[in-house]
Amino acid sequence: MDLQVKLSNKIGVIVDSLKLPLYDGLKKVKEIGADGVQIYAVDGTMAPENMSPQARKELRNFLDSIGLEISALCGDLGGHGFQDAVLNEEKVEKSKRILDLAVDLGTNIVTTHIGIIPENQNSNIYEAMQIACEELGVYAKSLDAFFAIETGPETASRLKQFLDSLSTNGVSVNFDPANMVMVTGDDPVAGVKLLKDYIVHTHVKDGVQIKAVDPKDVYGFLGYGGGVDHEKIAEMVSSGAYFRETPLGHGKVDFLNYFNALKEINYDGYLTIEREVNIDPVKDIADAVKYIQQFKH
């Protein structure tokens, strides 16, 4: 393999992927050689309503003490994302509080899924998503922060069209190449170049598509069989009937060209490892850190 990319990006880990208590997971991330962590901040002890000022300070102090930083928070509220206008007021407010928490913890990025963006720009669902994202984009911008949509549920071109319709770049992109490979069949390298003005965070994950799958069956769509939660997605991944997540370098993501594309667009943010298969996550993630390190100076 030609490893001439020479990345200088920091390496992150979604700490929840390790399936350890938070502070144990943070220590493990440091031990396996990563620079930062992404943390789910939707429910439990990390939910913004449960994070007192003291708890926020303690977490920041602990991260500082072991030499880690937060690459992003994950604020994915599940269900249909922002497709349902009836639920959006509550979801937008919760998302704003997660953005506030992110800033308090020293990061300016919250990643999420917003639901599949419809092809029909005149649909009620498209309008509901647009109104919610416009409000969140303006709010994020006021904090000098980003609410970053994860790639995968739709093609990069449809996502860019949606983002271009908003008044700010406060809503941007968390680029996940494996979601494209496994679900839409979109080309991650072309996607990076198309979305270059919006990419603020990335996931490093690999996978293969076994047979074509309707993204609505993976991510859910309002009026189409109900929303699909993360446990269901993990079950689909592990069953391998339609697509399969793999260790880095064993799937269909062309990491050499993917990393080259990120370098070409001058992306200098985190490469954050996500692992949704839970057989031996600590070993998988440690191996993933080593894999990415091959491409660094």
Side-chain angles (χ1 to χ4, degrees):
M1 185 191 293
D2 178 5
L3 300 177
Q4 299 307 307
V5 184
K6 299 301 182 188
L7 296 170
S8 57
N9 307 74
K10 293 178 179 178
I11 298 173
V13 170
I14 296 183
V15 67
D16 306 76
S17 294
L18 291 166
K19 305 300 177 187
L20 295 170
L22 177 59
Y23 281 82
D24 292 341
L26 296 174
K27 293 174 190 173
K28 183 60 68 174
V29 168
K30 182 64 177 179
E31 182 184 310
I32 62 181
D35 306 293
V37 290
Q38 183 177 6
I39 309 174
Y40 273 84
V42 172
D43 49 30
T45 58
M46 281 298 299
E49 63 270 20
N50 296 329
M51 286 290 285
S52 66
Q54 181 62 27
R56 297 176 190 211
K57 183 179 178 181
E58 287 174 1
L59 179 54
R60 284 202 71 162
N61 288 344
F62 182 78
L63 288 163
D64 288 344
S65 74
I66 62 173
L68 283 180
E69 57 189 5
I70 297 180
S71 69
L73 294 185
C74 179
D76 187 350
L77 301 181
H80 300 294
F82 296 96
Q83 292 183 342
D84 190 342
V86 175
L87 301 177
N88 279 355
E89 183 177 355
E90 182 181 342
K91 285 190 166 188
V92 166
E93 285 306 309
K94 172 91 171 192
S95 298
K96 287 179 179 179
R97 301 295 77 80
I98 297 172
L99 280 159
D100 293 339
L101 175 61
V103 172
D104 284 350
L105 293 177
T107 183
N108 67 342
I109 298 169
V110 172
T111 72
T112 193
H113 284 278
I114 65 166
I116 301 172
I117 298 166
E119 291 182 46
N120 180 7
Q121 296 179 44
N122 297 314
S123 71
N124 290 337
I125 291 175
Y126 195 98
E127 182 183 28
M129 297 173 77
Q130 202 172 33
I131 290 170
C133 287
E134 175 66 23
E135 184 174 347
L136 283 166
V138 169
Y139 187 76
K141 198 73 173 174
S142 76
L143 301 175
D144 194 25
F146 298 97
F147 194 65
I149 300 170
E150 186 164 329
T151 54
E154 62 283 306
T155 61
S157 59
R158 197 189 310 169
L159 176 56
K160 182 180 185 298
Q161 190 176 50
F162 179 81
L163 293 168
D164 286 346
S165 77
L166 304 176
S167 68
T168 78
N169 67 343
V171 170
S172 283
V173 169
N174 173 45
F175 201 98
D176 187 317
N179 289 348
M180 291 182 157
V181 164
M182 293 191 295
V183 180
T184 60
D186 212 10
D187 176 10
V189 173
V192 165
K193 294 174 182 179
L194 191 63
L195 294 166
K196 61 185 174 62
D197 294 331
Y198 292 108
I199 299 170
V200 296
H201 191 262
T202 68
H203 282 166
V204 183
K205 190 170 72 182
D206 205 354
V208 295
Q209 186 179 83
I210 309 300
K211 58 183 177 180
V213 59
D214 188 332
K216 293 177 182 177
D217 288 322
V218 182
Y219 295 106
F221 193 84
L222 190 62
Y224 181 89
V228 181
D229 60 23
H230 282 287
E231 289 184 8
K232 180 66 175 175
I233 292 171
E235 183 183 319
M236 288 187 76
V237 172
S238 59
S239 73
Y242 292 92
F243 51 84
R244 187 169 66 251
E245 187 189 326
T246 69
L248 298 190
H250 293 267
K252 292 297 185 180
V253 176
D254 181 349
F255 281 105
L256 179 63
N257 285 318
Y258 172 61
F259 289 149
N260 264 322
L262 289 174
K263 190 167 184 178
E264 281 175 22
I265 67 165
N266 298 313
Y267 172 73
D268 60 1
Y270 262 87
L271 305 171
T272 297
I273 296 159
E274 179 179 24
R275 190 74 170 125
E276 293 182 312
V277 176
N278 305 322
I279 300 168
D280 191 353
V282 174
K283 180 184 183 301
D284 284 349
I285 290 167
D287 288 347
V289 170
K290 292 174 186 171
Y291 181 85
I292 298 172
Q293 286 172 339
Q294 297 176 92
F295 296 90
K296 289 172 68 71
H297 289 299

